Every structure is written in structure tokens, then in C-alpha cells.
Amino acid sequence: MTRKLRVAVLFGGLSSEHSISCATAGGVLGAIDRDRFDVIPIGITRTGQYVLEEDDPRTFTLDGEVLPEVADNGTRVRWPDDVTSRELTLEQGGVTRSLGTIDVVFPILHGTYGEDGTIQGLLELAGLPYVGSGVLASALGMDKHFTKSVLQHAGISVAPWKRLRRAEWQKDPDVADGILDGLSLPVFVKPARAGSSVGVSRVSQSHEVAEALRIAFDEDDSVLVEQGVDGREVEIAVLGGRTGDAPRTSDVAGEIVVSGRDFYDFDAKYRGAAGIDLVCPADLSDAELDEMKSIALRAFDAVGAEGLARVDFFLSADGFVLNEVNTMPGFTPISMFPTCWIASGVSYAELITELIEIAVERGVR
């Protein structure tokens, strides 16, 4: 009988997207193939403790009123202290016991201190294989300014933008007065390194810029002011290839149809607020879909992504404008990344299996 692979599912974390990570973990815990994988659920509290969590997806249900989170339950999971070992240990009540060895880590972490290369660096130092992109691609994909810079260099169309650092703004608050020069309203003001639309504001009048900057700087010390694009919001999913195989996109794309809100904000994404419809498959011509797939694969390669990514676009009258390369996209059963694959004939459980097996095949970096 083939031995089951032991997977450490890592979630929670220190970012403002903590609860979204927990909800994603709930989806994975509920769907992962238990005939093929043994699971060790490890939560990271908001203050950074690694705790052994319940292996129960119901614990992390995303409710519109109460968002799930990892609490300090008194346990402490310890990573291997030697790259020749993959043994996890658990400390509880003054007693230390082994959790056994693991084969791979699935870091379902969104935002800073998880999606941005930091946890990837920890896992590489520990000599543990993991799902998803490495340190550089994770850090690059997390920082919108540098993502756009790399994509622009690769000849991929992105929306015009400006970056402002907190230190510049604090030194001279009047710098905000000129931030719109060369841009036309509306613009979006957003943290350079945050996701799930946290800290994002749509600015349609110049006097709104200062408050939008304040909100964004609450999340990060680097902020983008980005030209709004008049176009459809469409997204496509990418999977990294096995050894020797090229990455591939989902057969279909999805679309975010905004009808009663300014944009696809946090409340619409996770609290069920009205005014947003998620459509999959998106109504695209064969030529449009083929072009979207081609650009998504070019972007995946340009940032050095591995494993998985969701690539977001605006489809304007002038063509596709790439908005973001998300190296650890939302992964709940209804999130766009799995939805695109499900509509392409790959079930949620099969998608989880594929990602884990890609990571195991790649092995330790």
C-alpha cells in the first residue's frame, strides 16, 4: 500500500487577511483527499504563535457576521531545527511530543508575513518543500509597484500609476496635491503590499486623495495611486507544470460584474454585500480568451511564479490591461481561482492534489 503523504496546512497569520486565510484553510481541510493525504493543521495567531488547530473545516466557516480566526490554545508547534529532519514537535503544558515527519507544507497565507516571501524563506531555511511560488516571486507578486514595473518591462500593458512612500508623505503632506498629475480621475489608492481590497479607496474627486492615502498608509508604508481603467474585470487561473511541463491556464476565465458598488471591495468579497456578481465562464470570444491566456502565461513567467497564480485583467476598448498577479489567490470553494478550474473540469479536491504533488515533485529548493 502506498504511504499517505503528510501535509502541514498552514494558515492564519499576522496580516489583515488573517480571517480570509482561515476561511481558505477551511475549504482545503474539507476537500483534501484523505485517502492520499494525512493533514496536520497549523494555525498562526495574529501575534505569531504557531498552534496545532482542529482538523475540522467547520471551525473556519466564513460567516458574513463573524470572521474565523486562529486563537492561542496553549499549544506550540515547532519546526525542524536541522535541515536533515522534517519532524514537527508539539509543546503543550510543559510536555513535548512528536507530530511526526511531514512531506510538504501548504502555506495558505494571504498578505504580508505569508504571501510575500517571508514564510517561504522560513520553509526554505528549514529544508521543507512547499506549495506555491518561491521567495522572489512571492515578494514580487505581493508588491504591486514592483509587479507592474516588471510586467511593463516585459511588454505587458498595465495601468499608469505613481508610488508614494510614507516618509515622503510625512515629510511633506502637500506632496498629495501633485500626486494626480499625469493621471485622470477616477484613480484607485491602494497599499502596495496588501490584498483582499484591504485599504483600497476609489477616488473620483481630488479632495478625496488625502483621506484615501491615510487609509492606505494604515496598511503599508508604500502606496500606489493607480489610474482607473474603464473595462470589464476578468480573471484567469494558472497552474505550474510538472517537471519538464509548461504552466497552463484554466480553459475558461471568470468575470467580476460590478453593478451596485464602486468596486469589488472587502465587504463584497467576504461579507456577501450586494452589488457584485461573479460569472464563470466569462463571455469572451475565442480570440479574446486566447489572448488572455497568452498574456497570463507571459506574466506568470515574467515574475517567476510557480505552482499557482490568479492573473487579473481589465478588458478595455483598447485591449487587456493586466491588474495583478496573485501568487496565493483566495482558495475557498467559491473563490475565482478554483471556480475557473472547476469550470474547466478539474474538481476542487483534484486541484488541491495537483498543487501538493507539484510541490512534492519539485522538492526542496
Side-chain angles (χ1 to χ4, degrees), residues 294-322:
S294 175
I295 300 172
L297 291 173
R298 285 171 55 202
F300 192 84
D301 178 67
V303 302
E306 298 175 82
L308 73 162
R310 192 193 69 235
V311 185
D312 304 346
F313 295 87
F314 295 106
L315 178 53
S316 72
D318 298 321
F320 287 101
V321 177
L322 201 151

Side-chain angles (χ1 to χ4, degrees), residues 142-161:
M142 188 69 202
D143 192 307
K144 298 176 181 65
H145 168 70
F146 288 105
T147 299
K148 289 163 77 74
S149 299
V150 168
L151 294 176
Q152 191 175 62
H153 182 75
I156 296 172
S157 178
V158 296
W161 82 100

Side-chain angles (χ1 to χ4, degrees), residues 46-280:
R46 292 185 185 273
T47 51
Q49 291 88 14
Y50 292 81
V51 303
L52 185 65
E53 268 290 0
E54 292 183 72
D55 188 3
D56 182 354
R58 295 171 298 181
T59 306
F60 307 105
T61 301
L62 187 62
D63 185 288
E65 297 299 322
V66 181
L67 297 176
E69 73 173 77
V70 176
D72 185 354
N73 58 20
T75 63
R76 292 292 181 270
V77 176
R78 304 302 186 197
W79 297 104
D81 58 6
D82 185 325
V83 294
T84 65
S85 171
R86 294 186 181 177
E87 182 183 21
L88 299 182
T89 55
L90 181 71
E91 296 178 7
Q92 184 175 20
V95 177
T96 300
R97 66 179 176 89
S98 175
L99 291 174
T101 60
I102 59 171
D103 295 290
V104 65
V105 179
F106 198 154
I108 313 172
L109 294 158
H110 304 308
T112 49
Y113 307 110
E115 188 182 347
D116 59 354
T118 49
I119 201 71
Q120 290 76 14
L122 181 151
L123 296 174
E124 290 187 19
L125 287 170
L128 297 172
Y130 58 89
V131 172
S133 288
V135 173
L136 177 60
S138 297
L140 188 58
M142 188 69 202
D143 192 307
K144 298 176 181 65
H145 168 70
F146 288 105
T147 299
K148 289 163 77 74
S149 299
V150 168
L151 294 176
Q152 191 175 62
H153 182 75
I156 296 172
S157 178
V158 296
W161 82 100
K162 292 185 177 182
R163 178 175 63 153
L164 182 63
R165 296 182 177 90
R166 187 198 309 274
E168 298 173 279
W169 187 54
Q170 290 176 333
K171 182 178 180 180
D172 180 15
D174 292 337
V175 71
D177 296 337
I179 200 71
L180 295 179
D181 293 347
L183 302 175
S184 57
L185 295 170
V187 298
F188 286 86
V189 179
K190 57 181 70 173
R193 294 163 296 195
S196 299
S197 299
V198 174
V200 178
S201 301
R202 183 180 187 273
V203 171
S204 56
Q205 299 183 54
S206 57
H207 68 82
E208 298 170 344
V209 170
E211 176 62 11
L213 287 172
R214 185 195 65 76
I215 292 170
F217 278 127
D218 280 346
E219 293 295 326
D220 193 9
D221 59 9
S222 178
V223 163
L224 264 65
V225 180
E226 186 178 71
Q227 177 70 64
V229 177
D230 185 11
R232 297 166 62 189
E233 295 186 45
V234 287
E235 306 178 343
I236 198 161
V238 181
L239 268 178
R242 303 289 184 111
T243 302
D245 294 334
R248 65 193 190 276
T249 68
S250 52
D251 294 336
V252 302
E255 181 171 6
I256 299 164
V257 180
V258 181
S259 56
R261 307 183 74 79
D262 286 340
F263 65 100
Y264 191 30
D265 59 12
F266 184 92
D267 284 343
K269 287 180 178 179
Y270 303 114
R271 295 185 183 275
I276 298 292
D277 291 309
L278 302 183
V279 178
C280 188

